[in-house]
Amino acid sequence: MSACVPTPPKALGLARAAGIRTADPTRTKRSHQPHSPPPAPPRRFRVAGADLSASIAVFLIALPLSLGIALATGAPLQAGLVAAAVGGLVAGRLGGCPLQVSGPAAGLTVVTADLIHRYGWRATCGITVLAGLAQLGLGCLRVARTALAVSPAVVHGMLAGIGVTIAVAQLHIVLGGTPQSSVLDNLLALPAQLADLHPAAVSMSALTLTLLLAWPRLPGRPGRLLSRVPAALVAVAGATATAALAGLTLPRVDLPSWSSHALAGLPEGPVLGIVAAVFTTTLVCSVQSLLGAVAVDKLIARRPGLRARVGRSDLDRELLGQGAANIVSGALGGLPVAGVAVRSSANVRSGAVSRNSTMLHGVFVVIAALLMVPALDLIPLASLAALVMAVGIQMVSLHHIRTVTRHREVLVYTVTTLGVVFLGVLEGVTLGVAVAVAVALHRLARTCITHEEKEGVHHVHVRGQLTFLAVPQLSRTLHLVPQGAHAVVELDGSFMDHAAYESLQDWQNGHTAQGGSAELTGRRTGLRTDEPTASTACRCRPWTPWRNHQCDMPSGGAPASGGPTHPTGTIETDAADARDGSTPRTGSSTGSGSAARTEADVRSGSSGHELARGISAFQRNTAPLVRNELARLAREGQRPSQLFLTCADSRLVTSMITSSGPGDLFVVRNVGNLVPLPGEENGDDSVAAAIEYAVDVLKVRSITVCGHSGCGAVQALLDSGPREERTPLRRWLRHGRPSLERMADGSRPRARRAGRPAADVVEQLCLTNVVQQLEHLRAHDSVARALAEDALELHGMYFHVGEAQAYLLGEPGEDEALFRHVTEVEELSSPA
C-alpha cells in the first residue's frame, strides 16, 4: 500500500530552480479514455540544421567528383550523377551506417572501365544490377564481418594499384590527349603525348591542381573560413570560369538529354567471364563500403554524445543497403555504388547527426542534374581529369605504405599493387591473397634459434613460433650450453606448442639437476629458474602497478602451479609481455595461501622489494632493447622538441599517455602543474629555470601544460583560506590563486570539455587552471621572445584519469576555452 504525499511548494520551487522536472499538482492533465491506447504523437519530418549544412558540403564535393569518375571510366557523364543520387537516397536510407555517404567511387574506376571496354555500357549496367543482387545475398547470410578478414595490405595494395591506373590514364587527358586501354599502353604512349601538348588543356589542368592543393592551405583566419568551401568545387569552378572568360577552345562536358539516357541491358558473352565480372564488382564494392563504415565509426567516436545518437554501424544492413543501391543505380543507367571515404569524412566533420544529411545530398544531386545542365556543360574535361588524377595519386597513401612496412607486409602490398596495375583488379587481389597466405605460413613455420656466450652467461635466443618443427633445432642449440653454466633462454614469439614446451622443460629440469641455472624470458615468461620446476607465466603488463602484479602462490613461496620462483619468493613480471594481447591480472587473491599483496602491504613495505624487482625487470627485459638508442642519446645529447609541464600525481605516466620515448620530452612536474609568475616576490626559480633552459638552450618548439582530473592540489586550493600560508605546500599553492579568480570571473569564457559540462567545481578548477597557467607562461621573457619570433607554440591538455581520455585545448583563433576530445581514430585516407 502506497501513500501519496503532496510536494511542498518550497521544495517544488527549489527543484525547478535546479532544472529538475517535477509534476505540478495544480496543472490540468490531459487524459484519454480508460483502456484505450494513448494518442500517437504527430509524425513530422524534421531536418536538423546540422544535417542541412552537412548535406550541402557533401553535395559540393560529390558533384564534380561524380562527373570526373564517370569521365575516367568512359561511361556517360549522367551515369555519375545517377549513382550519386541513388547512393544518397537509397543507400543513405537503407544502409547500416547512417553517416556514410555512398556514390560513384574512385576505387571502382578501373573495374568499371574494363567492363565498359569488354561488354559495352548497357551490359555494364546489367552487371551492376547482378552485383547488387549478390550483395543482397551476402547481407542476408550475415557475412559482412567475414569480408573484413582480408589482409589490410591486400586492400591497400588494391587501392594503390587502382590509383596508379587512374593517374596514368587521366594524365593523357590532362595533356590534351586520349588514354589507352591499359596502363602499359598508356606508359608507352606518354612520350608521344608529351611531344604533342595542348596548351589550353594543360593550363586548365595546372590551374585545377594548383587550386586543389593551395585552397586548404590558405593562411590566417580568412583561410580557415574559406577552407570550409570544398577544394574540389573551387578548383573545378575556378578552371571553368577562367576557360569561359578567356574563350579557350577545349573539350568540355556534354550532357545529352535525359530522354536519350541508356538504361541497363542483359550482358552477353562467356558465362565465366560475366561471373568473374560480377564477382569483382561485388568484391570491390563490398570491401570498400564495409571498410568505410568501420572508418566512419572511428570518426564518430571523436564527437562525444554522437555515438549514443547514431549508434555503431550494422555492417550486414550496410551490405543490404549497398546492394539495393547498386540494383537501382544499374537499372537506371548509373555507375556502381560504394561507400566513399572523402564524402563520408566531410559529412561527419560538417556536423551531421543523422542519415538525413546523406539523403539530402542525394536530393541536391537530383536537382542539379535537372536544373544545372547549362552550367555543367561549361566544365572543361581537362579540369575533371586533373581532379580525378589527384584522387588517384592520393590513393597511393604514404600512411598505408608506412603501416605495411612496420608490419613487414611490403611484399604483399607490392605484389597486389603491381598485379592490379598490369593484370587487373581480380588478378591482382588473387595474387595478393596468395602471397599473404604464403607469408603467414612462412612466419608460422620459420624459427630462428641462436646461441652465444657473453661474460660467462650463455644466451639462447628463440625468434619466431616454437612448434614441433623447431624441436630438433631447439634441442641441438640447448645442448650447446655446458653443464653447471648459467643460461638465459629468450623466447621472442607468441606461440609454443606442447612438443616444444616439453622439450624445453626436459632440458631445464636436466640442466638445473646438474647444478646449472636457467632464466626464461620473453612473451610468455619472465621467470628466473633456480630449481627444476614447471614454468608458469605472470601476465601483468609493464605499466601495471606493483600492487596489481598478482600471481597466486601457496604458503612457502612456491608458485601454486608448481612454477619457478625468484629468490624473493615471487614470480617476476616480464616487460616484454607488453607485446602480447593478453589481459592483465587485476583481481585480488585472498586466503592464507595467497601471495597477492594488498594495498596495506604495499604501503607498509612488508614485501620491501617492489622497486628492486622493477629495476631488475628493466635490466633483464627492457635495457637490451633500448641500450643502443640510449647510447646514441648519450653521444649526441638530448634534443627534445617538447617541454611537458604536468602534475606530480603518481597516476600520470607521461611516457604512457603521450607514447613518447627517451629524448622526446623535457618533463617538469610539480604539485598542481603550476607556473609561477616571474618576479622576485612571486616567482619560483626551479620552474622558471626549467622554462628558460628548455626554450633558450634546448630550443623546444612546443610547451604543453597538462592538468588532470581529481587533482589533490586543486582540491587543497579550494579548501585553503585566503591567508593560510604556514606550510610549504600552502605557500606553493598561492601560485594557483589566479586560477580561482579566473573561475570566479563571469566575464571570461569558462573552460570546459567538448560535449559535456564540468562534473563538479574541482574539475572546473582543474580545467581553468590549465588555461591560467598558459597565461603565466606567456609572462616569462624567454617564452615571450620565442612566441614573438614564431619559434614556439603553447598547448593546453587535460587528462581524465578515470576515463583514460585526453583533451586538447583549442588553438588560437578557435574556442580557446574548449578542450577537444582526442582519440586514436585514424583519419580517413581512403580514396574518393
Side-chain angles (χ1 to χ4, degrees):
M1 179 172 154
S2 61
C4 296
V5 181
T7 305
K10 183 178 181 180
L12 184 63
L14 290 174
R16 287 177 178 172
I20 302 173
R21 299 185 62 180
T22 60
D24 190 344
T26 64
R27 181 175 297 178
T28 304
K29 297 182 179 180
R30 293 184 180 180
S31 60
H32 57 277
Q33 294 298 325
H35 309 293
S36 64
R43 298 187 63 181
R44 297 180 182 177
F45 179 74
R46 295 183 178 180
V47 178
D51 282 333
L52 180 60
S53 61
S55 66
I56 295 174
V58 175
F59 160 71
L60 296 177
I61 296 174
L63 187 63
L65 283 175
S66 300
L67 293 172
I69 291 171
L71 172 67
T73 61
L77 295 183
Q78 300 105 311
L81 299 178
V82 170
V86 171
L89 292 170
V90 178
R93 179 65 185 88
L94 302 178
C97 182
L99 299 190
Q100 175 162 252
V101 181
S102 300
L108 290 160
T109 302
V110 175
V111 176
T112 309
D114 182 62
L115 293 180
I116 295 173
H117 178 73
R118 290 188 181 186
Y119 301 103
W121 170 240
R122 294 189 64 195
T124 300
C125 293
I127 291 173
T128 302
V129 173
L130 294 176
L133 291 172
Q135 286 181 300
L136 285 180
L138 293 175
C140 292
L141 294 175
R142 307 186 68 82
V143 297
R145 289 283 174 188
T146 307
L148 298 179
V150 181
S151 169
V154 174
V155 176
H156 298 329
M158 177 189 74
L159 295 177
I162 292 172
V164 171
T165 305
I166 293 172
V168 173
Q170 297 309 298
L171 181 59
H172 283 270
I173 302 179
V174 166
L175 298 176
T178 303
Q180 306 299 317
S181 59
S182 69
V183 176
L184 189 58
D185 292 339
N186 282 322
L187 291 175
L188 293 176
L190 195 56
Q193 185 64 63
L194 291 172
D196 185 23
L197 296 177
H198 292 68
V202 173
S203 60
M204 290 302 97
S205 300
L207 177 60
T208 301
L209 292 174
T210 301
L211 290 174
L212 193 64
L213 296 175
W215 189 258
R217 297 172 174 82
L218 294 177
R221 186 178 181 84
R224 285 193 293 272
L225 295 175
L226 291 175
S227 63
R228 296 180 180 178
V229 181
L233 177 69
V234 173
V236 174
T240 301
T242 303
L245 293 175
L248 298 179
T249 303
L250 72 171
R252 302 175 189 269
V253 169
D254 183 15
L255 290 174
S257 172
W258 283 102
S259 60
S260 61
H261 180 65
L263 302 180
L266 293 175
E268 298 179 358
V271 175
L272 290 179
I274 295 175
V275 170
V278 172
F279 175 77
T280 304
T281 306
T282 304
L283 174 68
V284 178
C285 286
S286 302
V287 170
Q288 182 164 339
S289 299
L290 294 176
L291 291 177
V294 173
V296 169
D297 278 345
K298 295 179 180 178
L299 279 180
I300 291 174
R302 300 179 64 179
R303 293 176 56 187
L306 185 60
R307 168 63 69 198
R309 182 168 183 175
V310 176
R312 187 173 294 277
S313 296
D314 183 342
L315 296 185
D316 292 305
R317 179 179 172 180
E318 180 65 20
L319 205 54
L320 292 172
Q322 295 293 334
N326 273 313
I327 292 174
V328 176
S329 180
L332 296 179
L335 291 171
V337 171
V340 188
V342 170
R343 282 166 248 181
S344 302
S345 174
N347 193 35
V348 176
R349 290 174 179 167
S350 299
V353 295
S354 71
R355 62 177 73 246
N356 291 337
S357 62
T358 303
M359 298 173 63
L360 276 175
H361 123 270
V363 173
F364 292 146
V365 171
V366 172
I367 295 173
L370 296 176
L371 303 180
M372 294 178 59
V373 173
L376 298 178
D377 284 343
L378 297 176
I379 300 176
L381 294 183
S383 177
L384 291 179
L387 176 63
V388 177
M389 184 182 72
V391 172
I393 294 173
Q394 290 173 357
M395 291 171 70
V396 187
S397 170
L398 293 178
H399 172 73
H400 292 161
I401 294 175
R402 286 193 294 266
T403 300
V404 298
T405 302
R406 187 167 61 249
H407 292 282
R408 298 182 297 168
E409 293 183 328
V410 176
L411 179 61
V412 179
Y413 179 89
T414 304
V415 169
T416 306
T417 301
L418 295 178
V420 170
V421 169
F422 293 106
L423 300 178
V425 175
L426 183 59
E427 293 83 355
V429 170
T430 303
L431 281 176
V433 171
V435 173
V437 172
V439 169
L441 292 175
H442 174 72
R443 290 176 178 174
L444 181 62
R446 180 176 178 270
T447 306
C448 179
I449 305 176
T450 59
H451 167 264
E452 63 176 340
E453 181 184 357
K454 292 181 180 179
E455 300 176 355
V457 179
H458 292 260
H459 294 266
V460 177
H461 188 195
V462 181
R463 181 180 293 110
Q465 317 311 318
L466 202 52
T467 66
F468 67 94
L469 298 175
V471 168
Q473 183 184 2
L474 175 65
S475 180
R476 286 194 301 268
T477 306
L478 290 175
H479 282 86
L480 295 177
V481 179
Q483 297 180 4
H486 176 59
V488 177
V489 181
E490 303 173 19
L491 304 177
D492 186 9
S494 60
F495 175 75
M496 179 194 302
D497 70 2
H498 185 67
Y501 174 81
E502 282 195 348
S503 177
L504 184 60
Q505 292 304 309
D506 289 344
W507 169 83
Q508 181 184 9
N509 294 339
H511 185 70
T512 54
Q514 295 171 358
S517 62
E519 182 179 341
L520 306 182
T521 65
R523 289 179 182 261
R524 294 296 175 185
T525 55
L527 313 172
R528 180 180 178 90
T529 58
D530 293 313
E531 57 189 47
T533 51
S535 174
T536 186
C538 175
R539 304 301 300 230
C540 302
R541 297 175 184 267
W543 57 80
T544 307
W546 288 330
R547 65 178 180 176
N548 288 335
H549 282 200
Q550 296 176 351
C551 304
D552 293 341
M553 299 168 59
S555 58
S561 61
T565 62
H566 188 272
T568 59
T570 58
I571 298 179
E572 291 186 81
T573 299
D574 179 19
D577 195 46
R579 298 189 297 269
D580 198 352
S582 60
T583 304
R585 300 183 181 184
T586 56
S588 298
S589 300
T590 59
S592 59
S594 173
R597 289 160 291 163
T598 65
E599 184 174 359
D601 293 332
V602 173
R603 290 181 177 176
S604 64
S606 60
S607 56
H609 298 290
E610 289 88 359
L611 184 61
R613 275 197 298 271
I615 296 173
S616 175
F618 166 80
Q619 291 297 150
R620 183 177 63 256
N621 302 310
T622 309
L625 302 177
V626 301
R627 186 169 287 120
N628 291 337
E629 177 66 13
L630 291 178
R632 183 188 66 80
L633 291 173
R635 291 191 306 269
E636 300 176 0
Q638 63 168 329
R639 298 177 183 176
S641 60
Q642 303 256 348
L643 167 59
F644 196 83
L645 196 151
T646 188
C647 185
D649 193 295
S650 63
R651 296 167 296 179
L652 261 68
V653 184
T654 56
S655 59
M656 182 176 72
I657 64 177
T658 60
S659 297
S660 57
D664 291 335
L665 299 180
F666 187 70
V667 181
V668 175
R669 306 186 68 153
N670 61 48
V671 176
N673 48 275
L674 300 178
V675 181
L677 287 168
E680 294 182 1
E681 181 180 353
N682 297 321
D684 179 88
D685 287 343
S686 65
V687 178
I691 294 172
E692 179 182 349
Y693 184 77
V695 176
D696 293 342
V697 179
L698 297 178
K699 305 294 183 183
V700 297
R701 299 285 301 173
S702 160
I703 301 179
T704 300
V705 176
C706 176
H708 67 96
S709 62
C711 182
V714 168
Q715 183 64 62
L717 185 61
L718 287 169
D719 296 340
S720 63
R723 298 294 181 185
E724 192 176 356
E725 297 181 3
R726 298 178 181 177
T727 67
L729 176 60
R730 298 299 180 185
R731 288 195 296 271
W732 168 255
L733 289 178
R734 74 183 188 275
H735 300 300
R737 285 179 185 164
S739 300
L740 272 173
E741 297 169 359
R742 186 187 190 97
M743 185 176 68
D745 188 354
S747 63
R748 293 187 173 187
R750 296 182 70 84
R752 64 199 185 281
R753 287 192 287 164
R756 66 182 70 181
D760 50 31
V761 67
V762 175
E763 181 172 75
Q764 183 63 61
L765 185 54
C766 289
L767 295 168
T768 306
N769 186 48
V770 174
V771 180
Q772 183 63 36
Q773 301 313 312
L774 288 173
E775 282 197 9
H776 289 186
L777 263 177
R778 296 184 181 95
H780 286 257
D781 293 338
S782 56
V783 175
R785 286 196 304 270
L787 289 174
E789 297 168 0
D790 199 22
L792 184 65
E793 297 178 351
L794 301 184
H795 301 285
M797 175 177 167
Y798 178 77
F799 185 75
H800 194 288
V801 177
E803 298 174 358
Q805 179 61 57
Y807 296 82
L808 288 178
L809 190 61
E811 300 292 335
E814 303 176 357
D815 190 340
E816 298 184 26
L818 178 65
F819 287 81
R820 300 186 183 278
H821 190 274
V822 179
T823 182
E824 75 280 7
V825 171
E826 181 178 310
E827 294 292 339
L828 275 172
S829 55
S830 299

